[in-house]
Amino acid sequence: MLSGQRFLQMEGLSNEVPFFIYPYPPEDALAVAAAKKRIKNRLSNAGITVFEINLYDLSVELLRERGVWDRILAIEPGQDKADFREMLQGMLDPQLHIAPVIRDRLAQVDFDIFFLTGIGEVFPHIRSHNVLNNLQSVVKGKPMLMFFPGRYEQSDTLGSSLVLFGRLKDDQYYRAKNILEQEA
């Protein structure tokens, strides 16, 4: 599927954003990570370049660059969970911090497919629907595949929802397509 011209050329999207979600059972995370490596290698052997950003690794890197990582680690054990979450959500706001860095990184590399990973690891500090909404103006001209530990529920009457870990329903997100339902 990922190596097909239909996917790479983003055909049949009807002017929709080229965002795809690969939902998987959270308990399969290690198997999915291993499969993702094999897929990247196979695509590379076929001359298709995958650029991957892991949101957890990116978040840690951003906090270290700002010089607050050690302070965050020190205050976290004694901090109220809600206050801590709110503090990190401000420091890692998708619109102000995550999307601009991803835009800069994408502009520096030549790639055919963008993989977005680390979704479960950054919850609840970064919400996947917020990231997707803010990447719509950033990821252009290339397909993006987000690896999502949970379900992507789509309904004609209720819209589409990301259900993280199969339990936590995120706000509705309408624009991505389930990669498992796409034609090769």
Side-chain angles (χ1 to χ4, degrees), residues 101-115:
V101 171
I102 290 175
R103 179 187 317 109
D104 292 345
R105 294 201 179 168
L106 293 176
Q108 295 174 19
V109 296
D110 186 29
F111 66 96
D112 298 300
I113 305 171
F114 171 45
F115 280 5

Side-chain angles (χ1 to χ4, degrees), residues 141-158:
K142 305 284 181 170
M144 181 188 80
L145 180 60
M146 181 177 84
F147 289 78
F148 186 77
R151 295 188 313 270
Y152 186 38
E153 297 178 346
Q154 295 169 298
S155 161
D156 290 337
T157 55
L158 301 175

Side-chain angles (χ1 to χ4, degrees), residues 18-29:
F19 287 8
F20 298 86
I21 294 176
Y22 175 68
Y24 61 89
E27 59 271 16
D28 292 346

Side-chain angles (χ1 to χ4, degrees), residues 60-79:
V60 171
E61 186 179 325
L62 289 173
L63 295 171
R64 282 190 168 140
E65 285 174 3
R66 291 168 61 189
V68 297
W69 176 249
D70 291 331
R71 191 175 65 193
I72 288 172
L73 292 179
I75 66 168
E76 192 266 338
Q79 183 96 9

Side-chain angles (χ1 to χ4, degrees), residues 35-53:
K36 180 178 52 77
K37 276 186 175 179
R38 288 191 306 274
I39 290 168
K40 285 174 67 173
N41 285 336
R42 252 196 279 165
L43 290 169
S44 177
N45 290 337
I48 299 167
T49 305
V50 174
F51 183 65
E52 178 180 349
I53 291 181

